[in-house]
Amino acid sequence: MSLQLERTDVLIIGSGLAAVTVALHVPDTYRVLLVTKGCVTEANSDLAQGGMASAYLEPTSETHIRDTLAASKWTAQLERVRLLAEAGREAIQEMEQFGVVFDREDEQYALGREGAHSTSRIFHVGGDETGRHIMATLRDRLPGHVHVMEHVLIDRLLEHDGRVVGATGFTREARLQIEAGAVVLATGGIGGLLDWTSNCRTVTGDGLVLAQRVGAALKNITDLQFHPTLLASGTPELVTEALRGAGATLVDEAGRHVMAHHPLGSLAPRDDVAAVLTAHRGHVYLETSQVARMTERFPKLTATCQARQIDLALIPVRPGLHFQMGGIAVDEDGRTSVDGLYAVGEVADTGVHGKNRLASNSLLECWVFGKRVASALELKHGISDADGGTAYDVTDEVFQSFRRQIGKWLTISPAIDEIRSFLENTHQLTRTKHVTRQLAEQTLQLEAARLLALAFLELEGLDEQDVTARTAHGVFA
Ligand code: SIN
């Protein structure tokens, strides 16, 4: 395989809103290379439906701050939340300056409402296709000094003198080595490790693994959010919480309101709703008779339901993996604990979400912290001797069986026995120096799952040494 060499000032890994926000705000004297594993549109940001929260039209950001803290059960960091909500007041106008057109009704912003928000403050575009529209507009505005490469798998970060100075990877044809003055990880969370997720399948925890391998600190990676309402018929897909904000209620097969006991009803915080729905025996539906102008406000959902012959009045839903609150530990400007390495978006733990993210705060986080990262970047070039590295020597069949095993423990109540067994089985894998793109990609996924599994074990006061051969059982089971 041939070797392709690239040199840039800033390497951004990822193509969602966090990556694009950094790219849009980096000084134009810098050369920027933005690489992404699939097509640029294969990012969770493109799938965002409900919208972006902002206190733009409120007298202050205090209520947004309080709602964010309350949804997190007071586990989010006040100062970071304040920073998010305050800067978030400017975000709407700033995005408009880049050409984003938020939905309006009678010349006023058409604001949505979602769980645990005490008021309507969700700005959206194209009804429930906010992410797709925002991303198309902003990507179109990427300036000439930003070069984009699709289908690039980054498998290792390069180091020199304790600093990250680039990365290695694969294009579809060649081995790739990139020298960079600074590297920004914007690779998203880990949802794609599971089939039952609202996430893009390409979002599989690569950034966590890349960062951890160079010694960057990770935080709270077991803090995962399950969205209560993925479409329960056919391929899982998000059914936006904004539908409940518009009047839909969660009902059981007999039409009883399943969140009736909660003071906020169907608009209770996500973790509460997801827990109730997971424990519920039998099917749950979104009953939409109270939703006005359903097809106009939720065109994506309407089209999906029609294509799948689902009754729009009673939409079957069930919870699924949606968001990782924890991630790479960063300061308020996205600096990780390793020089030259920055992280932003879902891969980073900025402290703004605590143990349960408030709905529609994630696009806002990408914008606010993406801008901060772009201003904080410090460049320093260095040459690192890249060796080829190693990868797990797994056949596709074995890899697929590991994915199935991950699906058994990565649930709303992680199954410790399955975790132990997964760790034991993966611990026994051998490694090869003949690293192909496919092996590198599978290795990143298995290592991301191992990081999570170990973190769950640690919550139980255990570590990998406590996992003995006796716990292993057939990975092909
Ligand atoms: C939704 O539209 O329900 C998802 C929005 C979010 O995850 O913040």
Side-chain angles (χ1 to χ4, degrees):
M1 195 176 237
S2 59
L3 178 66
Q4 182 177 335
L5 292 172
E6 298 282 341
R7 193 155 204 273
T8 188
D9 293 318
V10 182
L11 170 63
I12 302 174
I13 306 170
S15 63
L17 184 59
V20 168
T21 304
V22 177
L24 284 171
H25 292 89
V26 163
D28 59 11
T29 48
Y30 291 175
R31 289 162 303 163
V32 178
L33 178 59
L34 183 151
V35 299
T36 187
K37 197 157 75 174
C39 306
V40 281
T41 51
E42 287 178 88
N44 282 344
S45 304
D46 289 71
L47 300 178
Q49 295 188 13
M52 188 169 86
S54 168
Y56 178 39
L57 302 179
E58 294 163 50
T60 70
S61 56
E62 288 310 312
T63 318
H64 189 187
I65 293 170
R66 200 191 56 223
D67 291 349
T68 301
L69 291 170
S72 81
K73 311 275 191 300
W74 312 98
T75 57
Q77 288 174 38
L78 172 62
E79 284 320 309
R80 298 283 177 89
V81 173
R82 184 172 295 288
L83 200 156
L84 175 81
E86 266 302 306
R89 280 160 64 76
E90 315 290 318
I92 300 302
Q93 275 184 307
E94 290 166 353
M95 281 193 176
E96 285 174 339
Q97 280 156 16
F98 280 100
V100 173
V101 181
F102 290 98
D103 291 341
R104 288 175 183 256
E105 255 168 45
D106 303 327
E107 310 207 348
Q108 306 292 322
Y109 287 106
L111 298 180
R113 183 157 177 195
E114 294 185 50
H117 283 274
S118 57
T119 185
S120 298
R121 64 164 71 89
I122 317 291
F123 292 75
H124 47 85
V125 187
D128 57 357
E129 290 196 280
T130 303
R132 188 168 74 79
H133 290 289
I134 288 184
M135 293 313 301
T137 305
L138 295 180
R139 285 196 191 106
D140 219 36
R141 297 297 295 266
L142 284 173
H145 64 110
V146 178
H147 178 56
V148 176
M149 286 173 76
E150 296 183 300
H151 305 291
V152 168
L153 173 81
I154 295 296
D155 68 332
R156 268 179 345 120
L157 297 177
L158 295 174
E159 292 171 274
H160 176 70
D161 235 359
R163 183 181 170 92
V164 169
V165 291
T168 63
F170 293 84
T171 66
R172 284 199 283 207
E173 300 83 28
R175 197 71 167 109
L176 182 64
Q177 185 168 326
I178 306 164
E179 286 170 23
V183 174
V184 180
L185 292 169
T187 48
I190 47 98
L193 290 177
L194 283 190
D195 293 335
W196 199 265
T197 178
S198 60
N199 285 201
C200 240
R201 298 302 179 267
T202 50
V203 179
T204 50
D206 295 2
L208 292 183
V209 177
L210 295 171
Q212 191 264 351
R213 283 187 194 156
V214 295
L218 309 182
K219 260 171 87 185
N220 307 321
I221 61 171
T222 54
D223 288 342
L224 303 174
Q225 183 171 71
F226 286 74
H227 196 289
T229 60
L230 302 197
L231 201 50
S233 167
T235 323
E237 211 170 280
L238 187 68
V239 180
T240 177
E241 200 165 300
L243 190 65
R244 280 175 274 143
T249 46
L250 288 159
V251 298
D252 65 13
E253 282 147 318
R256 284 181 297 251
H257 186 189
V258 294
M259 290 303 298
H261 61 281
H262 197 286
L264 296 172
S266 289
L267 278 177
R270 257 183 212 166
D271 54 347
D272 295 337
V273 184
V276 170
L277 265 56
T278 303
H280 184 82
R281 290 179 184 277
H283 298 294
V284 175
Y285 302 86
L286 277 163
E287 199 277 323
T288 65
S289 60
Q290 298 304 310
V291 180
R293 297 182 291 107
M294 169 94 179
T295 54
E296 191 188 314
R297 289 164 79 187
F298 301 98
K300 180 174 160 59
L301 177 65
T302 303
T304 307
C305 287
Q306 282 166 351
R308 296 187 193 183
Q309 296 176 329
I310 295 170
D311 181 1
L312 266 177
L314 210 54
I315 301 170
V317 289
R318 65 176 255 217
L321 183 56
H322 185 55
F323 192 85
Q324 183 172 39
M325 272 77 62
I328 304 168
V330 289
D331 70 8
E332 69 274 13
D333 295 317
R335 292 181 196 89
T336 70
S337 58
V338 175
D339 270 357
L341 184 65
Y342 299 77
V344 63
E346 191 174 342
V347 73
D349 183 343
T350 54
V352 297
H353 307 306
K355 293 199 171 298
N356 184 53
R357 175 173 64 82
L358 181 67
S360 285
N361 266 355
S362 52
L363 292 181
L364 187 66
E365 179 191 23
C366 291
W367 184 260
V368 168
F369 287 91
K371 285 180 59 195
R372 295 183 69 91
V373 168
S375 328
L377 289 172
E378 281 172 32
L379 308 189
K380 196 164 161 193
H381 288 273
I383 311 278
S384 159
D385 284 335
D387 66 35
T390 63
Y392 286 131
D393 197 6
V394 280
T395 62
D396 197 43
E397 190 194 4
V398 169
F399 175 71
Q400 292 309 334
S401 53
F402 276 126
R403 284 218 23 136
R404 285 194 292 280
Q405 200 181 13
I406 295 166
K408 288 188 193 160
W409 58 260
L410 189 46
T411 66
I412 200 163
S413 339
I416 290 299
D417 284 349
E418 288 291 345
I419 287 176
R420 293 166 73 111
S421 167
F422 173 76
L423 284 170
E424 174 60 22
N425 287 325
T426 45
H427 185 74
Q428 290 169 7
L429 282 171
T430 54
R431 299 187 79 106
T432 174
K433 276 186 167 293
H434 300 289
V435 185
T436 61
R437 178 176 172 135
Q438 183 176 342
L439 287 183
E441 191 163 356
Q442 292 173 340
T443 300
L444 284 166
Q445 290 193 34
L446 292 177
E447 288 190 355
R450 279 180 57 82
L451 281 178
L452 263 179
L454 284 165
F456 278 119
L457 213 59
E458 210 177 297
L459 293 182
E460 301 290 310
L462 300 168
D463 62 27
E464 195 163 13
Q465 284 172 354
D466 297 311
V467 176
T468 70
R470 277 174 295 131
T471 66
H473 59 246
V475 66
F476 297 103

